[in-house]
Amino acid sequence: LLRKGETVTTKIKSAYDTNSRLYKLGLWVKDDASGIGTLTYIKKDDMRFGALGHAICDNDTKTVFDIESGEMYKCTVIGLKKGTKGKAGEIKGLFMQGNSNLGLVDKNCDCGVFGKANFDSDILKDKQVLKAGGRMFAKPGKAYIRSSIDGKSAKDYEIEIVKTNYQSSKNEKSMVIKVTDKELLEKTGGIIHGMSGSPIIQNGRIIGAVTHV
Protein backbone atom coordinates (compact mmCIF):
# COMPACT_ATOMS: atom_id res chain seq x y z
CA LEU A 1 0.00 0.00 0.00
CA LEU A 2 1.00 3.64 -0.48
CA ARG A 3 0.96 5.74 2.69
CA LYS A 4 2.11 9.37 2.76
CA GLY A 5 4.19 8.85 -0.37
CA GLU A 6 5.92 5.67 0.84
CA THR A 7 5.25 2.09 -0.24
CA VAL A 8 4.53 -0.10 2.78
CA THR A 9 4.38 -3.90 2.86
CA THR A 10 2.33 -5.36 5.69
CA LYS A 11 0.23 -8.34 6.70
CA ILE A 12 -3.53 -8.11 7.20
CA LYS A 13 -5.56 -10.72 9.03
CA SER A 14 -9.06 -11.17 7.64
CA ALA A 15 -12.10 -11.05 9.93
CA TYR A 16 -15.15 -13.26 9.76
CA ASP A 17 -18.39 -11.47 8.84
CA THR A 18 -21.28 -13.28 10.52
CA ASN A 19 -23.87 -11.73 8.17
CA SER A 20 -22.32 -12.80 4.87
CA ARG A 21 -20.40 -15.75 6.37
CA LEU A 22 -17.33 -14.59 4.51
CA TYR A 23 -13.87 -13.53 5.61
CA LYS A 24 -13.18 -9.87 4.83
CA LEU A 25 -10.21 -7.50 4.93
CA GLY A 26 -12.07 -4.24 5.48
CA LEU A 27 -10.62 -2.67 2.33
CA TRP A 28 -12.60 -0.41 0.03
CA VAL A 29 -11.10 -0.86 -3.45
CA LYS A 30 -11.82 1.43 -6.40
CA ASP A 31 -10.24 0.43 -9.68
CA ASP A 32 -11.55 3.15 -11.98
CA ALA A 33 -13.36 6.48 -12.25
CA SER A 34 -14.99 8.32 -15.14
CA GLY A 35 -16.63 11.65 -15.81
CA ILE A 36 -17.29 14.46 -18.27
CA GLY A 37 -15.22 17.63 -18.50
CA THR A 38 -13.89 20.07 -21.07
CA LEU A 39 -10.56 19.95 -22.87
CA THR A 40 -8.72 23.22 -22.22
CA TYR A 41 -5.81 23.12 -24.66
CA ILE A 42 -3.46 20.99 -26.72
CA LYS A 43 0.08 22.15 -27.41
CA LYS A 44 0.62 21.87 -31.15
CA ASP A 45 4.32 21.02 -30.93
CA ASP A 46 4.20 17.98 -28.65
CA MET A 47 0.43 17.23 -28.36
CA ARG A 48 0.46 17.61 -24.57
CA PHE A 49 -2.99 18.56 -23.30
CA GLY A 50 -4.63 19.95 -20.18
CA ALA A 51 -8.26 19.57 -19.18
CA LEU A 52 -10.81 20.03 -16.41
CA GLY A 53 -8.96 22.77 -14.47
CA HIS A 54 -9.27 20.92 -11.16
CA ALA A 55 -8.37 17.50 -9.86
CA ILE A 56 -10.50 14.37 -10.12
CA CYS A 57 -11.35 13.63 -6.50
CA ASP A 58 -13.00 10.83 -4.58
CA ASN A 59 -16.61 11.83 -3.90
CA ASP A 60 -16.59 10.27 -0.45
CA THR A 61 -13.17 11.22 0.94
CA LYS A 62 -12.67 14.42 -1.15
CA THR A 63 -9.04 13.42 -1.74
CA VAL A 64 -7.25 13.64 -5.10
CA PHE A 65 -7.06 10.31 -6.93
CA ASP A 66 -3.53 8.97 -7.38
CA ILE A 67 -3.99 7.59 -10.88
CA GLU A 68 -1.91 5.02 -12.73
CA SER A 69 -3.26 5.91 -16.19
CA GLY A 70 -6.32 7.24 -17.97
CA GLU A 71 -7.84 7.81 -21.39
CA MET A 72 -9.63 10.68 -23.12
CA TYR A 73 -12.71 10.12 -25.31
CA LYS A 74 -15.16 12.14 -27.34
CA CYS A 75 -18.46 12.80 -25.62
CA THR A 76 -21.98 13.03 -27.01
CA VAL A 77 -24.11 15.62 -25.20
CA ILE A 78 -27.64 14.34 -24.69
CA GLY A 79 -29.03 17.15 -22.54
CA LEU A 80 -28.48 19.99 -20.08
CA LYS A 81 -29.65 20.43 -16.53
CA LYS A 82 -29.92 24.15 -15.89
CA GLY A 83 -28.29 25.51 -12.77
CA THR A 84 -30.24 27.42 -10.16
CA LYS A 85 -29.21 29.60 -7.24
CA GLY A 86 -27.28 27.48 -4.76
CA LYS A 87 -27.30 24.41 -6.98
CA ALA A 88 -25.11 23.82 -10.04
CA GLY A 89 -26.55 22.22 -13.16
CA GLU A 90 -24.77 19.70 -15.36
CA ILE A 91 -24.06 18.59 -18.90
CA LYS A 92 -25.52 15.15 -19.49
CA GLY A 93 -23.43 13.14 -21.88
CA LEU A 94 -22.38 9.70 -23.07
CA PHE A 95 -18.99 8.37 -24.08
CA MET A 96 -17.96 4.95 -25.21
CA GLN A 97 -14.74 3.49 -23.84
CA GLY A 98 -12.76 1.37 -26.27
CA ASN A 99 -10.02 1.65 -28.83
CA SER A 100 -11.05 5.09 -30.09
CA ASN A 101 -9.41 7.08 -27.30
CA LEU A 102 -8.07 10.52 -28.25
CA GLY A 103 -5.15 10.45 -25.85
CA LEU A 104 -3.71 9.13 -22.62
CA VAL A 105 -3.89 10.80 -19.21
CA ASP A 106 -0.75 10.59 -17.08
CA LYS A 107 -1.27 13.23 -14.38
CA ASN A 108 -4.08 14.25 -12.03
CA CYS A 109 -3.44 17.23 -9.77
CA ASP A 110 -5.04 20.36 -8.28
CA CYS A 111 -4.76 22.19 -11.62
CA GLY A 112 -6.47 19.50 -13.71
CA VAL A 113 -5.72 16.35 -15.67
CA PHE A 114 -2.86 16.27 -18.15
CA GLY A 115 -1.59 13.90 -20.79
CA LYS A 116 -0.73 13.45 -24.44
CA ALA A 117 -3.17 13.42 -27.36
CA ASN A 118 -2.78 10.93 -30.18
CA PHE A 119 -0.91 12.33 -33.18
CA ASP A 120 -3.07 10.29 -35.59
CA SER A 121 -6.39 11.65 -34.27
CA ASP A 122 -8.26 14.53 -35.92
CA ILE A 123 -8.62 16.38 -32.63
CA LEU A 124 -6.71 19.45 -33.89
CA LYS A 125 -8.54 19.64 -37.21
CA ASP A 126 -9.89 23.14 -37.90
CA LYS A 127 -8.93 24.34 -34.42
CA GLN A 128 -7.73 27.87 -33.67
CA VAL A 129 -4.15 28.42 -32.52
CA LEU A 130 -3.87 30.81 -29.57
CA LYS A 131 -0.95 32.04 -27.50
CA ALA A 132 -0.88 31.42 -23.76
CA GLY A 133 -1.06 34.44 -21.49
CA GLY A 134 0.74 34.48 -18.15
CA ARG A 135 -0.78 35.86 -14.96
CA MET A 136 0.00 39.48 -15.88
CA PHE A 137 -2.16 39.21 -19.02
CA ALA A 138 -5.34 38.57 -17.00
CA LYS A 139 -7.16 41.83 -16.29
CA PRO A 140 -10.55 42.63 -14.77
CA GLY A 141 -13.05 43.25 -17.55
CA LYS A 142 -14.53 41.58 -20.61
CA ALA A 143 -13.37 38.10 -21.63
CA TYR A 144 -14.79 34.86 -23.08
CA ILE A 145 -15.07 31.21 -22.19
CA ARG A 146 -15.02 28.65 -24.99
CA SER A 147 -17.27 25.68 -24.40
CA SER A 148 -19.34 23.09 -26.23
CA ILE A 149 -22.64 22.75 -24.44
CA ASP A 150 -24.43 21.30 -27.45
CA GLY A 151 -21.74 18.70 -28.11
CA LYS A 152 -21.33 19.80 -31.72
CA SER A 153 -18.94 22.73 -31.82
CA ALA A 154 -17.18 25.01 -29.36
CA LYS A 155 -18.53 28.53 -29.01
CA ASP A 156 -17.36 31.66 -27.21
CA TYR A 157 -19.56 33.07 -24.45
CA GLU A 158 -19.00 36.48 -22.91
CA ILE A 159 -17.96 36.77 -19.28
CA GLU A 160 -16.63 39.45 -16.97
CA ILE A 161 -13.46 38.90 -14.98
CA VAL A 162 -14.44 40.40 -11.64
CA LYS A 163 -11.22 39.83 -9.74
CA THR A 164 -7.68 38.60 -10.42
CA ASN A 165 -5.21 37.27 -7.86
CA TYR A 166 -1.62 37.66 -9.02
CA GLN A 167 -0.28 34.74 -7.00
CA SER A 168 3.45 34.32 -6.51
CA SER A 169 3.01 30.54 -6.39
CA LYS A 170 0.79 28.01 -8.15
CA ASN A 171 -2.81 28.01 -6.97
CA GLU A 172 -6.03 26.80 -8.58
CA LYS A 173 -8.36 29.74 -7.84
CA SER A 174 -6.59 32.68 -9.47
CA MET A 175 -9.58 34.69 -10.67
CA VAL A 176 -13.30 35.22 -10.21
CA ILE A 177 -15.52 35.35 -13.30
CA LYS A 178 -19.15 36.26 -13.87
CA VAL A 179 -21.18 34.98 -16.81
CA THR A 180 -22.77 37.87 -18.71
CA ASP A 181 -23.68 36.10 -21.96
CA LYS A 182 -27.49 36.10 -22.31
CA GLU A 183 -27.60 32.94 -24.42
CA LEU A 184 -25.52 30.93 -21.96
CA LEU A 185 -27.51 32.23 -18.98
CA GLU A 186 -30.75 31.25 -20.72
CA LYS A 187 -29.55 27.72 -21.55
CA THR A 188 -27.52 26.78 -18.48
CA GLY A 189 -28.00 29.48 -15.86
CA GLY A 190 -24.24 30.07 -15.88
CA ILE A 191 -21.40 27.62 -15.27
CA ILE A 192 -22.52 24.01 -14.85
CA HIS A 193 -20.77 20.70 -14.21
CA GLY A 194 -19.08 19.48 -17.37
CA MET A 195 -17.90 22.98 -18.34
CA SER A 196 -14.90 22.67 -16.03
CA GLY A 197 -11.80 23.14 -18.15
CA SER A 198 -13.40 25.59 -20.59
CA PRO A 199 -10.58 27.94 -21.61
CA ILE A 200 -10.83 31.58 -20.54
CA ILE A 201 -9.78 33.83 -23.44
CA GLN A 202 -8.95 37.51 -23.19
CA ASN A 203 -7.42 39.68 -25.92
CA GLY A 204 -6.71 36.63 -28.07
CA ARG A 205 -4.81 34.69 -25.39
CA ILE A 206 -5.70 31.76 -23.15
CA ILE A 207 -5.30 33.11 -19.62
CA GLY A 208 -6.91 30.33 -17.59
CA ALA A 209 -9.68 27.77 -17.34
CA VAL A 210 -13.05 27.46 -15.63
CA THR A 211 -12.71 25.37 -12.48
CA HIS A 212 -15.33 25.82 -9.76
CA VAL A 213 -18.97 26.86 -9.84
Side-chain angles (χ1 to χ4, degrees), residues 47-49 67 69-73 101-107 113-118:
M47 298 294 281
R48 293 288 301 176
F49 70 81
I67 65 167
S69 63
E71 296 176 329
M72 176 173 62
Y73 296 93
N101 71 74
L102 300 177
L104 299 178
V105 177
D106 54 37
K107 185 178 182 181
V113 294
F114 301 87
K116 192 168 186 176
N118 296 334

Side-chain angles (χ1 to χ4, degrees), residues 13-44:
K13 185 178 180 180
S14 58
Y16 185 71
D17 180 7
T18 55
N19 292 323
S20 64
R21 296 182 180 181
L22 297 171
Y23 283 93
K24 296 185 177 181
L25 295 177
L27 297 177
W28 184 18
V29 179
K30 293 188 176 184
D31 58 1
D32 64 7
S34 61
I36 296 171
T38 301
L39 181 67
T40 308
Y41 69 85
I42 300 177
K43 291 172 65 180
K44 193 176 180 181

Side-chain angles (χ1 to χ4, degrees), residues 36-86:
I36 296 171
T38 301
L39 181 67
T40 308
Y41 69 85
I42 300 177
K43 291 172 65 180
K44 193 176 180 181
D45 56 348
D46 60 5
M47 298 294 281
R48 293 288 301 176
F49 70 81
L52 208 58
H54 60 75
I56 300 173
C57 297
D58 185 283
N59 284 334
D60 300 290
T61 63
K62 307 302 180 184
T63 56
V64 177
F65 274 123
D66 183 15
I67 65 167
E68 182 178 30
S69 63
E71 296 176 329
M72 176 173 62
Y73 296 93
K74 287 184 178 179
C75 173
T76 300
V77 176
I78 58 174
L80 298 172
K81 182 179 179 182
K82 190 173 182 179
T84 57
K85 188 176 182 180

Side-chain angles (χ1 to χ4, degrees), residues 106-207:
D106 54 37
K107 185 178 182 181
N108 177 41
C109 64
D110 288 338
C111 294
V113 294
F114 301 87
K116 192 168 186 176
N118 296 334
F119 277 96
D120 56 353
S121 72
D122 62 351
I123 195 167
L124 286 180
K125 185 179 179 181
D126 301 325
K127 297 297 187 295
Q128 183 183 10
V129 178
L130 295 172
K131 290 184 178 181
R135 58 180 178 154
M136 302 310 293
F137 283 92
K139 306 287 184 183
K142 185 178 177 180
Y144 297 89
I145 57 172
R146 184 166 294 176
S147 194
S148 179
I149 60 174
D150 60 3
K152 298 176 182 179
S153 58
K155 185 176 179 180
D156 289 353
Y157 298 97
E158 188 176 312
I159 63 168
E160 178 189 356
I161 298 177
V162 178
K163 179 183 178 182
T164 54
N165 302 318
Y166 298 113
Q167 299 130 328
S168 57
S169 59
K170 181 176 66 175
N171 195 298
E172 55 181 335
K173 296 182 181 179
S174 58
M175 69 181 81
V176 177
I177 67 171
K178 177 182 179 182
V179 176
T180 56
D181 192 282
K182 292 182 179 180
E183 180 186 353
L184 187 61
L185 289 171
E186 177 64 30
K187 289 182 177 180
T188 66
I191 304 299
I192 59 176
H193 293 303
M195 291 174 67
S196 293
S198 299
I200 300 172
I201 301 169
Q202 190 177 47
N203 297 322
R205 291 177 180 265
I206 296 179
I207 58 168

